[in-house]
Amino acid sequence: MGLFDYFHANRKSANVAKERLSILIARDHFHRNQPSFLSALQNELLEVIKKYVDIDHDDVVVSLDREEDCEILELNIALPEKGRYTSDPDSLDQKNKI
Amino acid sequence: MTRIIVVTSGKGGVGKTTTSAAFATGLALQGYKTAVIDFDVGLRNLDLIMGCERRVVYDFVNVIHNEASLNQALIRDKRIDNLFILPASQTRDKEALTIEGVKNVINELSESFDYVVCDSPAGIEHGAYMAMYFADEAIVVTNPEISSVRDSDRILGLLASKTKRVIEHRTPVKEYLLLTRYSPERVKNGEMLSIEDIQEILSIPIIGVIPESQSVLTASNQGIPVIINKNSRAGLAYNDCIGRFLGEDIDLRFVDTKKNGILSKLFRGR
């Protein structure tokens, strides 16, 4: 048994519960406080990007953060590895031109 | 001015009905005319905890649908004169409750009652929403257990956004945390979330801590609200909650393992 396992086995389960809950509730609150249009925005963006690139729902992440009196809309799109671009000939042509 | 109290939790089986029965009985014992309404349409249980299941003729849904008058449906408690129970329907489903219907019943009760206690069903669907909509105060019943705390947090989110008070831009629903099935020994051994842990996460004022107690099951077996049992730690803890609710300053008890005196021996397991 390694040192990590030793400490892990001796950790009180109530502390584990509190730590898990704190993270969980912070995440719940984050999602609860997002404006309702964000998921619609995410879906529409996904539809547009899908015309050109083959991506999954989870590859587009839209979030809104607040920093003092400034709101930051963050858009994160994970493009797939090469070979997963859509096979639509038009869009392939476009890609070759680039 | 009638005060409407909702007893809610999100999670099932944490003690909402036990708490509703205790609160309504406790307020009535203090001299307030009190009605307790079972909102758990289809899964009626409050009448069992209050011990009046054989006296149910008409129910909440009958009143909403004008099939019976409110006075016909209200059951007067056998033990306490100014305590009344409005049972849920066992045969209908939750959709039978409407905002308009519930409003009419609450308005009529408001003409003569001091307190109306609304026993919410579990979940965050229609029934729970109906139970909380008209509330002035909310008792959020929570077990010191991870899923119950998370669900309570979810319910607090709904109380802050979906209730009549919020929609009408009045002062928000007053929220109180009630911890039930608390075991100081297990907290001491690091096996259970402590009062402080849960308060830190939910950050609402605490109205009481009910210790894990055999007398809660005994009371439910007999159809006698546990608050009536003055030999029960749970009953005494509920009684303290009523005092705090009415503005008294009462220390929490049965929350630590230190006091191993005659008292705790006397009350062991009760």
Side-chain angles (χ1 to χ4, degrees):
Chain A
M1 194 164 85
L3 201 60
F4 176 79
D5 292 333
Y6 176 78
F7 281 115
H8 199 74
N10 277 290
R11 261 185 90 199
K12 300 288 190 190
S13 69
N15 292 337
V16 179
K18 192 188 175 191
E19 197 181 306
R20 290 174 63 210
L21 256 177
S22 303
I23 296 168
L24 197 63
I25 290 203
R27 207 175 56 193
D28 285 351
H29 284 199
F30 176 77
H31 286 292
R32 201 189 292 163
N33 294 331
Q34 298 286 316
S36 53
F37 68 81
L38 278 195
S39 69
L41 178 64
Q42 179 171 355
N43 288 333
E44 283 187 45
L45 282 170
L46 186 72
E47 288 308 309
V48 174
I49 296 165
K50 257 188 174 170
K51 284 186 188 168
Y52 306 98
V53 189
D54 181 22
I55 57 169
D56 291 328
H57 185 271
D58 294 342
D59 294 332
V60 177
V61 178
V62 183
S63 66
L64 195 66
D65 274 329
R66 279 184 193 84
E67 269 177 28
E68 289 170 17
D69 52 355
C70 167
E71 287 193 336
I72 302 165
L73 180 66
E74 191 180 312
L75 183 60
N76 205 331
I77 303 166
L79 289 174
E81 288 167 29
K82 274 185 184 167
R84 271 191 64 209
Y85 286 100
T86 183
S87 52
D88 179 27
D90 287 341
S91 62
L92 280 177
D93 280 349
Q94 278 177 350
K95 204 181 87 190
N96 291 340
K97 275 176 209 158
I98 297 166
Chain B
M1 188 65 185
T2 310
R3 304 292 288 174
I4 317 292
I5 307 167
V6 61
V7 178
T8 186
S9 71
K11 194 174 183 300
V14 296
K16 280 182 298 299
T17 302
T18 300
T19 299
S20 299
F23 252 78
T25 306
L27 289 167
L29 283 170
Q30 292 295 316
Y32 296 99
K33 192 175 178 191
T34 306
V36 54
I37 308 178
D38 190 350
F39 275 78
D40 207 346
V41 176
L43 293 167
R44 169 168 94 205
N45 279 324
L46 178 69
D47 51 330
L48 290 173
I49 303 299
M50 296 294 296
C52 64
E53 69 277 7
R54 291 169 66 182
R55 293 161 65 211
V56 176
V57 182
Y58 295 108
D59 60 57
F60 192 17
V61 174
N62 290 139
V63 179
I64 285 179
H65 290 177
N66 293 320
E67 295 154 357
S69 74
L70 183 57
N71 281 332
Q72 284 177 305
L74 280 174
I75 302 170
R76 184 191 283 266
D77 188 79
K78 282 178 298 201
R79 297 162 288 254
I80 305 155
D81 267 356
N82 50 353
L83 176 59
F84 293 80
I85 299 108
L86 183 55
S89 165
Q90 182 66 356
T91 49
R92 313 290 251 282
D93 60 37
K94 305 245 179 335
E95 306 305 316
L97 300 176
T98 57
I99 289 220
E100 200 57 32
V102 176
K103 186 177 92 182
N104 291 339
V105 171
I106 287 192
N107 283 349
E108 200 177 333
L109 288 172
S110 297
E111 288 168 15
S112 59
F113 281 84
D114 298 309
Y115 287 101
V116 177
V117 178
C118 303
D119 182 21
S120 173
I124 52 168
E125 285 83 27
H126 186 72
Y129 172 56
M130 287 295 117
M132 72 166 68
Y133 187 73
F134 294 96
D136 299 307
E137 271 125 332
I139 311 285
V140 180
V141 184
T142 307
N143 285 172
E145 181 270 325
I146 194 162
S147 58
S148 174
V149 178
R150 188 199 197 180
D151 290 359
S152 292
D153 180 70
R154 184 92 166 86
I155 279 291
L156 288 171
L158 295 179
L159 285 165
S161 62
K162 299 268 188 199
T163 46
K164 186 166 180 274
R165 280 184 159 269
V166 176
I167 290 162
E168 290 177 353
H169 304 290
R170 290 154 68 203
T171 51
V173 178
K174 219 179 201 173
E175 299 150 340
Y176 299 100
L177 172 64
L178 179 71
L179 274 182
T180 53
R181 307 199 69 169
Y182 194 73
S183 169
E185 292 77 23
R186 305 198 73 186
V187 172
K188 194 184 173 195
N189 293 335
E191 299 165 358
M192 182 180 270
L193 289 164
S194 69
I195 302 168
E196 295 77 23
D197 289 342
I198 296 166
Q199 262 205 295
E200 192 184 316
I201 289 166
L202 296 178
S203 51
I204 55 169
I206 194 156
I207 193 153
V209 178
I210 312 299
E212 173 79 62
S213 161
Q214 296 163 5
S215 55
V216 174
L217 179 59
T218 310
S220 131
N221 287 342
Q222 298 172 327
I224 304 167
V226 71
I227 194 168
I228 290 177
N229 184 353
K230 299 290 185 226
N231 293 318
S232 148
R233 295 191 303 167
L236 293 172
Y238 270 120
N239 214 39
D240 290 352
C241 292
I242 298 295
R244 288 186 202 105
F245 186 80
L246 297 173
E248 285 174 54
D249 190 13
I250 303 171
D251 285 341
L252 291 175
R253 48 178 167 168
F254 317 121
V255 293
D256 48 53
T257 51
K258 285 175 221 154
K259 295 162 192 159
N260 265 334
I262 290 172
L263 261 178
S264 68
K265 276 179 190 151
L266 212 62
F267 284 121
R268 187 174 297 153
R270 290 192 195 164

